[in-house]
Every structure is written in C-alpha cells, then in structure tokens.
Amino acid sequence: MLRGDAVVLRAVQREDLPRLYELLKTDLEVMTRVSDRPPRPVTLEEMIASYEGSSEGDDADAWFAIVVDDAVVGECGLHEVDHYQGTCHVGISLGRAYWSKGYGRDAVRTLVDYAFRHLRMRKVSLEVLADDERAVRAYTAAGFHEEGRLRDEAWFHGAEHDVLRMAVLRAEWVPPSTG
C-alpha cells in the first residue's frame, strides 16, 4: 500500500471491479480520455475476465486502486516497465466526480515516487492531449515536463488533437515530504 497526502494506492482487488466499472466504463468522456483506442461498450464480465487474465504471471505492470476516505475513486498504474532502460509510463483514470480535487496529482506523485524509490526507474513518462489543460496542469504540478508535441496524433471528439509527451527524471524528482 502506498500513501499520498490525500490518496492511498493499493492493489486492485476483484471486489473493486464493479466500482471501477461504474466509475470508468459507463462514462464516455472518462473512457475517451484514458485510452488512445476508440471507446466501445464493455461489460462488467469482460472487465472481470480481463482482470483475471492479466493477473496471472504479468509482473510488467503495476496496477493500483486509488482510494480516498475508504472509497475507490479510480485506478492508476505503471505500464511498459523496462528494467533494463529504467523507464516506464504512467496511466491514470479517475471517476468524473473526482476530477479537479487534487486526487489525480497526488496519485501520480505517489506512483512516481514508488517508481523511483522501489523500481529503480530513471524516467517516468506519459502522453496527454495537449488541449486538456486540467490534466496538463496536474501533471506539471506533479513534476512532469513537456518533452515534445506529436501533431494531430490523437482522434478525440471527432477531430485530430496534438498529444504532449511529458516526463520526469529521477535526477529532477522532488520526493513528497514524509511528514
């Protein structure tokens, strides 16, 4: 279990799946912001099958439930973990009711701290829609810097959008205070 200032990150459990489904798979806006694939209807049973299939022997990703006051509010994880290069990517998804409350920034900072302290990563990166000002502000506040812009990289809401590649290096990381 990882503790941030406002959030707790813990392993996703099977019993979390109905709540995550409700928060993340029934809201088209949430679904389209967290994936570069077209949104499609997903059943709870498909989500459970995917969870059960990915948990067997897959130690490349670290998948966490984001918990606030004992309630699951979203998920986050490290993906494409490359121990040789010391790099990985961050992904996060919060239920819409929990946007703009600082939970995402806190979860990302906590996750990045885990990547640097415990996985010996040297660089953590992500991609975000360039015009998603709320997300870009949160990632910048969490210590990320823009590395580049991929022009017309993403299709979102019926139009092409630029994508920002952002990253934080271990050498520039300011760890959260430990109280």
Side-chain angles (χ1 to χ4, degrees):
M1 189 169 353
L2 308 174
R3 294 190 184 280
D5 292 331
V7 304
V8 171
L9 306 183
R10 62 161 173 74
V12 171
Q13 301 166 3
R14 191 177 197 283
E15 43 288 354
D16 295 328
L17 298 180
R19 172 72 173 158
L20 289 171
Y21 177 83
E22 172 191 326
L23 287 171
L24 310 176
K25 302 298 184 188
T26 61
D27 185 327
L28 185 61
E29 180 79 8
V30 172
M31 288 173 59
T32 57
R33 290 200 178 271
V34 299
S35 177
D36 55 1
R37 296 185 179 164
R40 69 170 189 81
V42 175
T43 66
L44 177 57
E45 290 74 22
E46 288 175 301
M47 189 175 179
I48 291 169
S50 176
Y51 167 81
E52 290 173 347
S54 68
S55 64
E56 296 178 10
D58 182 16
D59 63 352
D61 290 359
W63 187 27
F64 296 92
I66 303 170
V67 180
V68 175
D69 297 328
D70 295 323
V72 173
V73 301
E75 65 183 0
C76 62
L78 299 175
H79 312 285
E80 300 178 38
V81 176
D82 183 334
H83 289 284
Y84 179 70
Q85 294 296 332
T87 61
C88 63
H89 295 274
V90 168
I92 183 169
S93 183
L94 289 173
R96 185 194 301 259
Y98 303 98
W99 291 0
S100 300
K101 297 182 185 307
Y103 301 139
R105 179 183 62 235
D106 190 32
V108 168
R109 284 187 54 79
T110 303
L111 194 57
V112 170
D113 190 59
Y114 169 76
F116 289 144
R117 286 183 197 255
H118 301 287
L119 300 182
R120 299 184 65 203
M121 295 291 109
R122 64 176 184 78
K123 181 178 183 176
V124 179
S125 61
L126 59 85
E127 292 181 355
V128 62
L129 293 173
D131 55 0
D132 187 345
E133 294 175 10
R134 178 187 52 80
V136 171
R137 272 194 315 274
Y139 293 134
T140 301
F144 284 77
H145 302 278
E146 183 178 334
E147 289 193 316
R149 178 180 291 261
L150 306 170
R151 299 178 305 144
D152 285 350
E153 181 73 7
W155 181 258
F156 180 71
H157 282 298
E160 291 91 4
H161 292 262
D162 291 358
V163 169
L164 296 181
R165 170 74 179 232
M166 300 180 78
V168 59
L169 303 175
R170 183 199 326 241
E172 63 196 13
W173 176 243
V174 178
S177 64
T178 55

